[in-house]
Amino acid sequence: MDISFSSEVCIERARKRRRSNDIKDGEKEINIQVIVRCRGRIDREIAANAPVIIETNFREVQLKSPDKVLKTYTFDRVFGPEADQAKIFDHIVIPILHEVKAGYNCTLFAYGQTSTGKTYTMEGNLDIANGQMNKHAGIIPRTLFNLFQDLEAEAQDFSVKNAADGIRVLKQGSVKRHAAQTNCNKNSSRSHSVFFITVHIKETMADGEDLLKVGKFNLVDLAGSECIGRSGAENNRAKEAGNINKSLLTLGRCINALNERCLHIPFRESKLTRLLQDSLGGKTKTCIIATVSPAKSCYDETMSTLDYAYRAKNIRNKPVANQRVTKKALIKDYINKIERLEMDLRATRDKNGIFMSAETHQFLVNENKSRKDECEELQKEKEMLVEKALIDHQHRKNLQELQTKFNDLKAMSMGFGSTVSRKINDAYKERTKEISEYHKYIDEQLDRFEQQKNMLEQIFTSDGDVVTTFFGEINKLRKGFQEAAIKKDQGLRKDSVTMLKSLHDELAGQSIKMQTYHAKIDEEISTLVTTTQEHIDSQNQAIIACQNITEEAAKTETRCLEEHNDLLDNAIKKECNIATSLNEELLDIIKKELNKFTNAQIDRLKETYDKVHDSTQQNGMKTSNTKYLSGHKSQYSSTKENLAYLIKESKVDLSANVNNITKGMSSHLDKYKSLIESTLTSLERLTVSANDESSVLHKQLVELFKSFASDVTQCYSSLQNKMTKSQMELESSTLQVNKTLKENSNALTNF
Ligand SMILES: Nc1ncnc2c1ncn2[C@@H]1O[C@H](COP(=O)(O)OP(=O)(O)OP(=O)(O)O)[C@@H](O)[C@H]1O
């Protein structure tokens, strides 16, 4: 259970200031301030000879084993066992109090394992002797004393009369705060405590108008952060520890989410984080005091506390000073609030409607409507994102197809390259073959020439001149032929080389083009893949955030409906019980009255009869007036019979009436019950379809209750009519009986 106490301090500064001096907020972002306080060893640790593993040094904490430093953490400030309560207050709290007095909202909370000194730091010893606080007094009493010291110097007007008054408020709260013994701490706090101090500072302006500056100081003493097993908490203690762990776990998750700059911070998942929402990443100035034990036995918990605190250091808040308001505006604001609360109270007392004022109901309806709108917007956004995701999917598919095509192209181009080079090789081989064949042919021709030359030389040896001339011609021819052959060969070679070169050049160009093309496609595809991936990632993130918000909204909505449902449920049950007990009481009264009446009538008749009988006997008229008496006797007995019949009839009538009333009542009661049951069923149905329109739910609830109220009124009025009718019938029967009795009595008198 979370407990919060509240106290208000109002400081009036008579100092006159000009309006132009108002502080304008810089709205700068600042980190949460994180302080570590390590206490000395407590008796239990000394008795167990627990070695000390922590060393503190101005801004550093070192976790040590006997011979080496295991880990070093740096914080805004670190205090060791030598730092007493006064030092902590002077160094940490005094600067915060200045901010509070300047109109900022500030939060200071103590976090740490059980028995590390959170409560000692926040509350300490609350005793006051001779108007002075104890030297072990913690931050809260010192804050109160400090504020009231200020008041004694300058103030004239305040709501909490003095520091002792404030400490009394704190003590009252502390009594309610659940404390129990665990393995680690004799007097362990099993809940979180939040002490709010609101300081109103009045300043009178040059024009005589009063301005109020409001600063709030939230002092939070969290329950121990230890794990259940280690603390030795059992049964209910373990359950408490579970709840504590849940809220501290949520606090840790919020700190992590803030640290990682996540879109969604799960503040609403626990009451503690809902309370501290503005203190974590909000407009409040926040300071965390992490308390640790120096003992080795607490090594794991100390490390976890220091890690937790270290993460919190990165959270950034944007403190904004509260607007100064005129006294009138503030009072008007308070009056409005009080009026709203009074209306709610009246509505609850009168049990009219749904136990809340129409304004609050309207406010809830509006809130539900805006939630519904928000849900619809989120739904639309979700649909849009799903659509986009589908497009992305298609995009991906296209990309895959493109990739396949590209691979095919690549394979094709590689195939083409190898075909071309094979063809070139083939052509080259062919040409080489052709050239070598040509060479062979020329060589053969030359051989033939040589043979023919030799032959002709033999034939023409006789005529030297002719032969010489002939051979000269032949040689000329041969030379020409050789030259032509060489030329032809060269030409052929040159052509082949040129052709091969151009083919080679063309191929090289093609290859470069191909490579460029490949590179370009590669680049395009990788860009496309990266962009698509980024796009998909961001869409996925947005979808997750959207889902979280939607789930959160749905949860809140369901919780809200459940609360309303419980409220209505209780109201209906209460009404039903009242009606049943009223009806039963009424029936009882009627039955009793009827019995009383009937018995009285019978007694009276019996009495009259006895009197008559006695007087007849006493007067001795039995013998002399036998005839006369027997006449009267028969008249009397017939009158008696008549009377008995009349009484019987009226009794029958009365019991019929009672039956009728009972029947009517029980039928009304049944109707009433079935109405309540059907209302409950509709409520359950409405709760089940919590995602349905909340405003419709509200309308239906209002309608149901209207018809319920009119049915109840009808039931009561018909009941009342029946009662009146039966009362009238009773009266008339009574008159009839009285009349008959009178007649009987007259007859007896005459007799
Ligand atoms: N700085 C300190 N100097 C002297 N004694 C201290 C100091 N800090 C804590 N102690 C003592 O240690 C014991 C445990 O402290 P305290 O009850 O404040 O722990 P806690 O962290 O609030 O524990 P829990 O989470 O179980 O409530 C108390 O007896 C307290 O007086």
Side-chain angles (χ1 to χ4, degrees):
M1 187 176 76
D2 297 323
I3 293 187
S4 58
F5 327 115
S6 184
S7 100
E8 287 209 356
V9 180
C10 186
I11 299 176
E12 178 180 340
R13 289 182 194 275
R15 243 183 271 138
K16 310 236 175 202
R17 276 203 203 167
R18 280 181 296 125
R19 260 175 224 267
S20 55
N21 277 356
D22 280 1
I23 302 164
K24 192 82 201 149
D25 296 317
E27 295 201 6
K28 267 196 313 189
E29 273 200 351
I30 56 163
N31 282 59
I32 282 187
Q33 208 194 356
V34 183
I35 315 282
V36 172
R37 185 180 196 188
C38 175
R39 59 160 168 72
R41 283 188 306 163
I42 51 175
D43 294 347
R44 180 173 46 83
E45 289 160 349
I46 296 170
N49 276 332
V52 171
I53 52 147
I54 284 221
E55 204 167 292
T56 57
N57 181 12
F58 191 62
R59 293 188 62 192
E60 274 183 3
V61 194
Q62 288 185 337
L63 278 174
K64 294 173 117 181
S65 70
D67 48 348
K68 63 172 184 220
V69 175
L70 298 172
K71 199 158 182 186
T72 305
Y73 293 86
T74 310
F75 292 98
D76 293 301
R77 197 60 217 274
V78 174
F79 294 93
E82 70 290 347
D84 61 6
Q85 299 282 58
K87 187 169 178 183
I88 298 286
F89 183 75
D90 292 345
H91 284 80
I92 307 174
V93 191
I94 294 277
I96 299 177
L97 273 176
H98 281 136
E99 306 284 8
V100 174
K101 287 176 197 167
Y104 283 92
N105 293 346
C106 298
T107 297
L108 187 146
F109 64 88
Y111 174 88
Q113 181 199 351
T114 181
S115 86
T116 48
K118 297 179 296 298
T119 308
Y120 180 78
T121 303
M122 297 306 288
E123 294 180 15
N125 190 320
L126 299 176
D127 294 344
I128 302 174
N130 303 326
Q132 295 296 312
M133 59 188 158
N134 190 284
K135 71 172 182 172
H136 291 291
I139 289 172
I140 300 177
R142 279 172 197 273
T143 300
L144 291 166
F145 266 90
N146 179 286
L147 286 171
F148 285 97
Q149 251 170 28
D150 216 354
L151 281 170
E152 269 153 36
E154 305 178 49
Q156 297 155 14
D157 189 12
F158 43 85
S159 323
V160 181
K161 291 192 180 62
N162 47 41
D165 225 19
I167 290 172
R168 191 179 39 75
V169 175
L170 174 64
K171 276 185 178 166
Q172 278 171 0
S174 291
V175 171
K176 283 190 197 162
R177 195 180 179 196
H178 205 158
Q181 183 171 356
T182 66
N183 284 353
C184 308
N185 191 352
K186 264 202 317 227
N187 199 10
S188 175
S189 312
R190 307 315 302 156
S191 61
H192 309 300
S193 116
V194 186
F195 189 82
F196 298 108
I197 299 178
T198 311
V199 183
H200 294 163
I201 300 173
K202 192 167 92 181
E203 289 176 2
T204 311
M205 295 293 124
D207 58 6
E209 193 174 1
D210 287 339
L211 274 191
L212 282 173
K213 209 163 43 175
V214 184
K216 285 184 184 152
F217 194 11
N218 314 319
L219 294 135
V220 188
D221 178 8
L222 296 174
S225 59
E226 72 287 351
C227 67
I228 302 173
R230 233 181 85 67
S231 72
E234 284 171 358
N235 305 327
N236 283 347
R237 292 292 91 76
K239 222 153 84 190
E240 282 163 2
N243 288 336
I244 294 165
N245 276 3
K246 192 182 160 228
S247 54
L248 287 176
L249 211 69
T250 313
L251 180 63
R253 285 178 51 220
C254 289
I255 290 176
N256 283 347
L258 284 162
N259 222 348
E260 286 158 18
R261 305 267 188 275
C262 288
L263 283 175
H264 173 69
I265 318 290
F267 286 122
R268 298 191 65 80
E269 284 178 22
S270 84
K271 197 172 171 185
L272 176 71
T273 44
R274 267 206 303 268
L275 263 173
L276 293 178
Q277 176 160 5
D278 199 49
S279 309
L280 300 166
K283 294 176 183 167
T284 302
K285 293 196 173 186
T286 300
C287 173
I288 298 177
I289 302 182
T291 54
V292 290
S293 152
K296 190 178 176 197
S297 47
C298 300
Y299 177 82
D300 288 341
E301 302 288 0
T302 302
M303 184 111 137
S304 128
T305 302
L306 292 174
D307 283 338
Y308 203 93
Y310 195 75
R311 277 199 302 273
K313 257 177 60 165
N314 293 331
I315 298 175
R316 293 178 74 75
N317 285 8
K318 214 185 229 177
V320 178
N322 294 319
Q323 289 281 329
R324 285 168 189 199
V325 282
T326 59
K327 205 173 167 185
K328 270 188 210 155
L330 192 75
I331 291 171
K332 200 172 162 210
D333 190 37
Y334 279 142
I335 288 173
N336 285 344
K337 264 187 203 156
I338 292 168
E339 274 175 1
R340 234 193 19 247
L341 288 170
E342 271 178 348
M343 272 193 289
D344 283 353
L345 190 69
R346 229 177 291 134
T348 313
R349 274 204 194 125
D350 296 351
K351 293 179 184 157
N352 103 40
I354 45 174
F355 308 117
M356 61 180 81
S357 71
E359 281 78 2
T360 312
H361 177 249
Q362 191 54 44
F363 171 76
L364 281 174
V365 170
N366 290 346
E367 201 185 29
N368 278 337
K369 166 109 184 41
S370 102
R371 283 225 188 96
K372 198 189 114 204
D373 290 348
E374 207 177 318
C375 278
E376 272 172 13
E377 277 166 20
L378 285 168
Q379 188 62 33
K380 274 183 198 151
E381 209 170 309
K382 195 175 161 186
E383 279 164 12
M384 213 172 70
L385 286 169
V386 169
E387 212 170 285
K388 271 190 182 169
L390 282 175
I391 294 170
D392 280 343
H393 179 69
Q394 188 57 39
H395 204 46
R396 242 180 201 203
K397 229 170 119 188
N398 291 347
L399 205 68
Q400 273 171 357
E401 279 170 13
L402 205 66
Q403 185 81 43
T404 320
K405 275 185 192 162
F406 171 72
N407 289 340
D408 290 351
L409 202 67
K410 214 169 172 178
M412 238 166 73
S413 74
M414 274 161 75
F416 174 70
S418 65
T419 315
V420 168
S421 70
R422 203 178 58 242
K423 276 189 180 168
I424 289 172
N425 273 343
D426 290 351
Y428 179 75
K429 272 183 199 160
E430 213 167 296
R431 280 294 151 108
T432 317
K433 199 176 153 196
E434 259 178 37
I435 288 168
S436 68
E437 273 172 7
Y438 188 65
H439 271 276
K440 208 172 147 192
Y441 168 74
I442 294 216
D443 286 344
E444 278 170 10
Q445 291 302 320
L446 283 174
D447 284 347
R448 268 179 61 206
F449 264 119
E450 200 61 38
Q451 280 172 12
Q452 280 176 359
K453 182 195 131 190
N454 291 337
M455 229 169 71
L456 282 169
E457 265 177 355
Q458 280 174 7
I459 295 167
F460 298 111
T461 41
S462 53
D463 193 351
D465 287 346
V466 177
V467 173
T468 314
T469 318
F470 181 71
F471 273 108
E473 283 302 314
I474 294 255
N475 276 339
K476 241 198 237 168
L477 263 171
R478 187 179 157 191
K479 207 177 164 190
F481 185 71
Q482 268 181 336
E483 275 171 3
I486 289 165
K487 223 172 166 179
K488 172 91 178 156
D489 180 41
Q490 277 175 351
L492 250 173
R493 276 176 192 270
K494 205 174 161 189
D495 279 359
S496 294
V497 169
T498 318
M499 193 196 86
L500 279 172
K501 199 167 174 287
S502 78
L503 204 63
H504 177 265
D505 287 352
E506 198 185 323
L507 274 174
Q510 283 287 355
S511 162
I512 288 168
K513 258 193 206 164
M514 213 66 157
Q515 274 173 8
T516 325
Y517 182 57
H518 282 179
K520 208 172 145 204
I521 291 189
D522 261 345
E523 198 184 308
E524 271 177 16
I525 286 177
S526 72
T527 321
L528 208 62
V529 169
T530 321
T531 337
T532 313
Q533 197 52 51
E534 276 171 6
H535 192 53
I536 287 167
D537 287 350
S538 86
Q539 301 289 26
N540 283 347
Q541 256 185 20
I543 287 173
I544 289 166
C546 176
Q547 267 172 351
N548 285 344
I549 297 168
T550 315
E551 275 168 18
E552 175 71 17
K555 265 189 210 161
T556 320
E557 200 64 36
T558 316
R559 216 170 28 241
C560 211
L561 284 170
E562 277 170 5
E563 278 168 14
H564 285 186
N565 194 18
D566 285 350
L567 211 73
L568 295 172
D569 214 5
N570 287 339
I572 291 166
K573 276 179 190 153
K574 216 164 142 193
E575 275 302 314
C576 190
N577 289 340
I578 292 170
T580 317
S581 69
L582 251 173
N583 287 344
E584 280 167 0
E585 265 175 37
L586 213 62
L587 268 172
D588 255 18
I589 292 167
I590 291 170
K591 273 181 189 165
K592 270 183 200 157
E593 282 304 314
L594 280 173
N595 279 339
K596 226 159 93 186
F597 172 76
T598 317
N599 290 336
Q601 294 304 333
I602 291 169
D603 286 350
R604 272 172 68 188
L605 271 174
K606 214 172 161 194
E607 207 181 311
T608 319
Y609 172 79
D610 287 347
K611 268 186 194 163
V612 171
H613 190 71
D614 287 353
S615 75
T616 313
Q617 271 190 349
Q618 275 170 19
N619 288 336
M621 290 169 82
K622 198 179 166 189
T623 350
S624 57
N625 295 311
T626 315
K627 208 175 167 188
Y628 187 69
L629 190 64
S630 67
H632 277 281
K633 218 173 178 179
S634 71
Q635 193 189 348
Y636 173 70
S637 64
S638 84
T639 312
K640 198 178 144 195
E641 269 164 28
N642 281 345
L643 203 58
Y645 173 77
L646 205 67
I647 288 169
K648 201 175 154 200
E649 280 300 296
S650 60
K651 246 175 153 182
V652 168
D653 278 0
L654 282 173
S655 72
N657 270 340
V658 169
N659 279 343
N660 278 347
I661 291 168
T662 316
K663 262 187 207 159
M665 272 179 174
S666 60
S667 94
H668 278 294
L669 207 63
D670 285 348
K671 205 176 152 196
Y672 194 53
K673 270 181 187 166
S674 73
L675 192 70
I676 289 165
E677 271 161 17
S678 78
T679 312
L680 280 171
T681 321
S682 327
L683 271 175
E684 271 163 23
R685 220 179 24 247
L686 285 167
T687 314
V688 169
S689 57
N691 281 338
D692 289 358
E693 298 179 0
S694 331
S695 60
V696 173
L697 175 73
H698 271 278
K699 258 192 214 159
Q700 282 178 353
L701 281 176
V702 171
E703 288 303 316
L704 264 167
F705 268 85
K706 269 187 195 159
S707 78
F708 175 70
S710 85
D711 273 0
V712 170
T713 323
Q714 261 181 30
C715 177
Y716 272 114
S717 69
S718 90
L719 210 63
Q720 230 161 7
N721 285 344
K722 289 209 169 189
M723 289 292 298
T724 324
K725 208 173 140 198
S726 72
Q727 211 168 356
M728 274 161 66
E729 278 169 4
L730 248 167
E731 272 167 14
S732 85
S733 315
T734 314
L735 279 175
Q736 187 66 38
V737 171
N738 281 343
K739 203 175 144 200
T740 319
L741 280 172
K742 208 172 172 188
E743 277 171 16
N744 189 38
S745 139
N746 285 343
L748 283 170
T749 317
N750 290 340
F751 167 72

